Amino acid sequence: MTTPTVDVHCHLDLYPDPRGQVAKLARQKSYVLSVTTTPRAWRGTSALAVGCPRIKTALGLHPQLAKERKSELSLFDKLLPEARYIGEVGLDGGPDCRSFWEDQIEVFDHILASCANVGGRILSLHSRAAATDVLDALERHPGYGVAILHWFSGTQRELSRAVEMGCWFSVGSAMLRSQKGRTLTARMPRHRVLTETDGPFGMVSGKALQPGECVEAIGVLAHLWQLDETSTKNSVVASLRELASL
Ligand code: MN
């Protein structure tokens, strides 16, 4: 029996043929967290996964869309009772997103406060060039739930703080192709590391990763953890079960 793959950050709704992708994932028995970028996308994206219990759909509002979509926060709150998973949310400190930083803070603080209000959620977080700000925001909202830092690219110091705060991590082949990404991953607590593609944005050699295409990431983790690939996959599936039970 082959071990199914785990992809906890994938934009299923942004592939050309989402229904075909879902059918393929169902055949592969992959576990997928299908993240969305706007509250308005959540219903339609959830509908794609009806009948596929291994595909969970996360309610999101991407930081890069914070300015143009903050009007959807009321819809976010309305949908929140039905959504167990949240993402993609977070902050982006890149030069292209700095001009609407205040909007980003407003949106992210609102989302974390709402999650705390409903007893906590599991969140897939974007933290590009903003790891410290994301961790500061989490600290402002105790009770937000459980954080998975997706494609973490902060410093060693920021990583240590995130680990101390109990954060989880999801890593993909694009991140693991860089020495920095591998060094950070080696220092993450193994039982809080999951795999992701970030497809179709996550690319390797100019090609978008397919949903659930985590074989290369598993290979790198196997090497870092000194395990064989089957044990590495089993370990990631066990961690996912642990996360889902939190
Ligand atoms: Mn993403």
Side-chain angles (χ1 to χ4, degrees):
M1 207 192 87
T2 56
T3 311
T5 57
V6 170
D7 181 356
V8 293
H9 188 106
C10 180
H11 298 266
L12 259 189
D13 60 344
L14 302 183
Y15 283 88
D17 175 21
R19 286 187 185 283
Q21 295 288 3
V22 167
K24 202 163 75 183
L25 290 167
R27 282 197 300 276
Q28 296 166 346
K29 298 190 173 6
S30 299
Y31 293 96
V32 173
L33 185 61
S34 161
V35 295
T36 56
T37 54
T38 70
R40 221 172 268 177
W42 190 71
R43 284 246 181 257
T45 307
S46 299
L48 289 171
V50 166
C52 303
R54 289 187 176 85
I55 303 178
K56 309 291 186 200
T57 307
L59 173 63
L61 203 169
H62 198 288
Q64 291 168 357
L65 302 173
K67 189 186 173 78
E68 56 192 87
R69 298 301 184 113
K70 70 177 173 185
S71 59
E72 289 181 42
L73 280 174
S74 53
L75 179 60
F76 181 94
D77 289 344
K78 207 173 125 197
L79 297 171
L80 182 56
E82 294 173 60
R84 180 150 185 249
Y85 295 86
I86 302 303
E88 179 168 1
V89 298
L91 296 170
D92 192 313
D96 42 336
C97 298
R98 272 276 160 193
S99 65
F100 52 95
W101 180 253
E102 296 308 320
D103 299 293
Q104 292 191 53
I105 294 280
E106 182 190 332
V107 166
F108 191 41
D109 269 321
H110 179 109
I111 286 169
L112 293 172
S114 294
C115 288
N117 273 337
V118 295
R121 289 292 186 265
I122 295 170
L123 299 94
S124 182
L125 300 178
H126 178 110
S127 59
R128 183 178 72 134
T132 290
D133 306 274
V134 165
L135 298 175
D136 287 347
L138 296 178
E139 280 185 347
R140 286 196 292 277
H141 301 278
Y144 67 84
V146 181
I148 311 167
L149 293 166
H150 121 80
W151 201 326
F152 183 80
S153 59
T155 62
Q156 296 283 355
R157 209 186 156 89
E158 288 168 323
L159 175 66
S160 302
R161 183 177 168 209
V163 169
E164 191 79 9
M165 287 171 63
C167 294
W168 289 60
F169 302 90
S170 59
V171 301
S173 41
M175 166 179 173
L176 292 169
R177 282 199 172 195
S178 79
Q179 183 57 53
K180 182 187 172 188
R182 287 194 298 274
T183 304
L184 286 167
T185 303
R187 298 201 174 185
M188 294 169 184
R190 187 181 297 195
H191 299 293
R192 281 194 254 148
V193 175
L194 302 165
T195 45
E196 68 165 39
T197 58
D198 199 15
F201 301 114
M203 303 216 290
V204 159
S205 310
K207 256 191 75 189
L209 288 163
Q210 293 296 294
E213 192 184 345
C214 295
V215 57
E216 185 180 322
I218 288 291
V220 176
L221 290 176
H223 179 77
L224 292 176
W225 297 346
Q226 311 256 292
L227 294 174
D228 62 48
E229 297 202 354
T230 303
S231 309
T232 304
K233 276 180 153 188
N234 286 334
S235 166
V236 172
V237 171
S239 300
L240 179 69
R241 295 216 167 97
E242 165 73 17
L243 175 76
S245 73
L246 294 176

